[in-house]
Amino acid sequence: MDASKKIMDLLKKIFIVSLLIFYPLGEIARFTFSDAAITFNDIGVVLVVTIWILFRILKRKRVTGRFVKPISVFVGISILSLVVNLNNLTPEEGLISALYLIRWIFYALLIFVVKEFDEKFKKKIIHLMLVGGGLIILGGFLQYFLYPDLRNLYYAGWDGHLYRMFSSFLDPNFAGSFFTLYFILALGFYFPARGWSAFGGKTKQKIMIAVLALSVMAILLTFSRGAFVMFFAGSFTFLVLQKQKKLIAGLLLLFVLSFILVSKTGLQSEGTNLLRTASGEARADSLKNAITIFKDHPVFGVGFNSYRYAQRSYGFINEEKLPIHSGAGTDNSFLFVLATTGVVGFIAFLFLIYKILALSFVSVGKNPIALVLFVSLTSLLFNSLFINTLFYPPIMLWMWILIGLTENT
């Protein structure tokens, strides 16, 4: 067996471990140092990409594909934005900001890693995603019944969520976003008409019905309004593209009735009240802060990602008593890009999003993976208006893998 074959086998094994073990751990396996943090999920991605780079070096192959240019452009502008703002940062702050960008690059490179796998393993990846994501949902139900109160971790910078499902992400909003992505993948897996027949059979269809039902219940128990919007957008888009318009009203009605049932019979707290105003006001303040920072740095922003330090300098956050995990971002992915990379970086980011949508939409009628990707990204774009999901590592991993599977086919 030659060296490249051994490296590829090792790459597959680590990829499996990452999806089945590291990924479900979420934020539980998190290590914080200074203003940065690393999770087992990050470690898994770094290992996978590093081994892939070694494989490429041995094969002496150039990296090709339609996403080389848009990713390179966005990364180049992000580096430039950071360099332009180095005078406003201490050496330590500049290093930590650069580490955020390096992490984003590693996650984006998963596209090319997935492309490298053989067809048999690519089919296996879908199953791995279903199992790994299923473990996160299972963990969510265990957490909801056994550990429904996150207030005892307030000292560590986590919000005090009560009687909401947050699973291993320790945040119901990000958890709800992921549950919706998982639901969309399971929905695509369930419909065999678009090419999933290889995974068909009545037994598997029954299993998928159960998975879909649990996914919907998990979304409901997050009580995340952003996740509900994402669910509606994703379900509507998927069923329209599948020409299942009759199911749209039924599915949405079932969701609403289920929510009413959960709301009436479940435990009550401020977080389970859909009409709550405190979180809405906090989100509005977060958006205003991002707009203020962008107005003062419209061309290249404050540097990707030195947003935490910009907030400190403006006096928007005070971490003298307690750390704030959300301090490195804002509750809108697009405003986050504008504030950190300016208009120039924003245009490059939109170009990348456009390329992904174009890739998936052109094959949505014949490629089930493209269908799942298009619906996932469309719904995620709605969700990213309320929370910074486009730059949340577990969400990035999920989406970059789907993009890699779609581009290759």
Side-chain angles (χ1 to χ4, degrees):
M1 186 183 295
D2 60 14
S4 60
K5 180 67 166 60
K6 289 181 180 179
I7 292 176
M8 180 54 68
D9 289 342
L10 177 62
L11 179 59
K12 290 179 180 179
K13 290 177 182 177
I14 296 180
F15 195 88
I16 292 172
V17 170
S18 295
L19 276 179
L20 296 184
I21 299 178
F22 293 167
Y23 191 59
L25 289 174
E27 295 292 330
I28 295 176
R30 173 191 176 100
F31 307 96
T32 303
F33 57 95
S34 186
D35 291 321
I38 186 171
T39 64
F40 272 26
N41 190 44
D42 296 331
I43 294 171
V45 171
V46 169
L47 284 174
V48 166
V49 174
T50 301
I51 293 172
W52 169 77
I53 292 173
L54 178 59
F55 174 82
R56 274 280 170 173
I57 292 174
L58 286 175
K59 283 285 189 178
R60 296 182 180 179
K61 286 184 177 180
R62 290 181 58 192
V63 178
T64 58
R66 72 187 73 202
F67 289 105
V68 172
K69 182 178 179 180
I71 289 176
S72 299
V73 170
F74 180 69
V75 169
I77 292 173
S78 297
I79 293 173
L80 181 59
S81 72
L82 191 56
V83 171
V84 168
N85 288 280
L86 280 180
N87 289 335
N88 302 323
L89 304 169
T90 66
E92 181 185 0
E93 290 172 347
L95 174 61
I96 292 175
S97 300
L99 288 176
Y100 277 106
L101 178 57
I102 292 171
R103 182 179 67 178
W104 189 91
I105 294 171
F106 269 91
Y107 275 84
L109 288 175
L110 286 172
I111 292 179
F112 310 104
V113 175
V114 172
K115 282 178 58 181
E116 206 74 52
F117 293 132
D118 56 79
E119 291 302 319
K120 183 179 179 181
F121 190 76
K122 287 183 186 123
K123 290 182 179 179
K124 192 174 184 177
I125 289 175
I126 302 296
H127 289 85
L128 292 172
M129 293 173 74
L130 285 168
V131 174
L135 290 174
I136 294 175
I137 288 182
L138 176 61
F141 280 103
L142 291 175
Q143 164 268 307
Y144 182 77
F145 291 108
L146 301 178
Y147 189 76
D149 189 351
L150 197 60
R151 291 177 297 181
N152 64 330
L153 291 182
Y154 183 74
Y155 74 93
W158 301 102
D159 292 335
H161 301 293
L162 179 64
Y163 304 140
R164 300 173 70 182
M165 185 180 290
F166 45 77
S167 192
S168 58
F169 295 152
L170 304 183
D171 186 292
N173 297 303
F174 286 121
S177 304
F178 171 76
F179 295 157
T180 305
L181 290 177
Y182 186 82
F183 171 82
I184 293 169
L185 179 64
L187 202 60
F189 197 93
Y190 174 72
F191 278 87
R194 295 296 182 186
W196 292 105
S197 55
F199 306 104
K202 292 185 177 180
T203 301
K204 287 191 176 181
Q205 286 193 343
K206 290 179 181 178
I207 292 174
M208 293 315 300
I209 290 175
V211 169
L212 288 168
L214 289 173
S215 302
V216 172
M217 184 58 66
I219 295 169
L220 288 169
L221 291 176
T222 64
F223 292 93
S224 170
R225 292 170 292 190
F228 293 170
V229 171
M230 184 178 175
F231 175 82
F232 287 134
S235 301
F236 180 83
T237 305
F238 186 95
L239 294 174
V240 167
L241 292 174
Q242 280 282 16
K243 299 180 181 178
Q244 300 285 342
K245 297 180 182 179
K246 294 181 180 179
L247 294 178
I248 295 175
L251 179 63
L252 299 185
L253 178 61
L254 179 63
F255 186 87
V256 172
L257 292 176
S258 299
F259 175 77
I260 294 174
L261 178 64
V262 170
S263 299
K264 297 300 181 181
T265 58
L267 298 171
Q268 302 298 309
S269 71
E270 172 65 19
T272 62
N273 177 16
L274 278 189
L275 300 179
R276 58 187 181 271
T277 58
S279 60
E281 292 172 356
R283 186 163 287 149
D285 289 339
S286 174
L287 300 183
K288 289 178 183 177
N289 294 344
I291 292 172
T292 299
I293 293 173
F294 164 66
K295 285 181 178 179
D296 292 341
H297 306 82
V299 182
F300 288 109
V302 295
F304 190 100
N305 171 25
S306 61
Y307 191 75
R308 180 186 297 277
Y309 308 118
Q311 290 214 92
R312 286 178 183 172
S313 66
Y314 276 79
F316 293 152
I317 59 174
N318 184 353
E319 299 175 289
E320 292 182 0
K321 295 182 179 180
L322 292 172
I324 303 175
H325 291 312
S326 60
T330 187
D331 290 329
N332 184 301
S333 293
F334 298 102
L335 283 177
F336 172 75
V337 176
L338 280 169
T340 57
T341 63
V343 173
V344 179
F346 184 69
I347 293 173
F349 185 70
L350 289 183
F351 177 59
L352 175 59
I353 296 295
Y354 163 75
K355 294 291 285 185
I356 299 171
L357 287 173
L359 164 71
S360 55
F361 185 73
V362 75
S363 302
V364 79
K366 26 187 169 170
N367 181 356
I369 302 176
L371 172 65
V372 170
L373 173 59
F374 182 79
V375 175
S376 296
L377 182 55
T378 301
S379 61
L380 195 60
L381 290 175
F382 279 99
N383 180 260
S384 66
L385 298 174
F386 308 100
I387 186 171
N388 193 14
T389 39
L390 293 182
F391 292 89
Y392 185 59
I395 300 293
M396 288 197 297
L397 182 143
W398 190 269
M399 294 303 296
W400 288 125
I401 289 177
L402 284 178
I403 295 166
L405 290 171
T406 304
E407 186 192 12
N408 186 69
T409 53

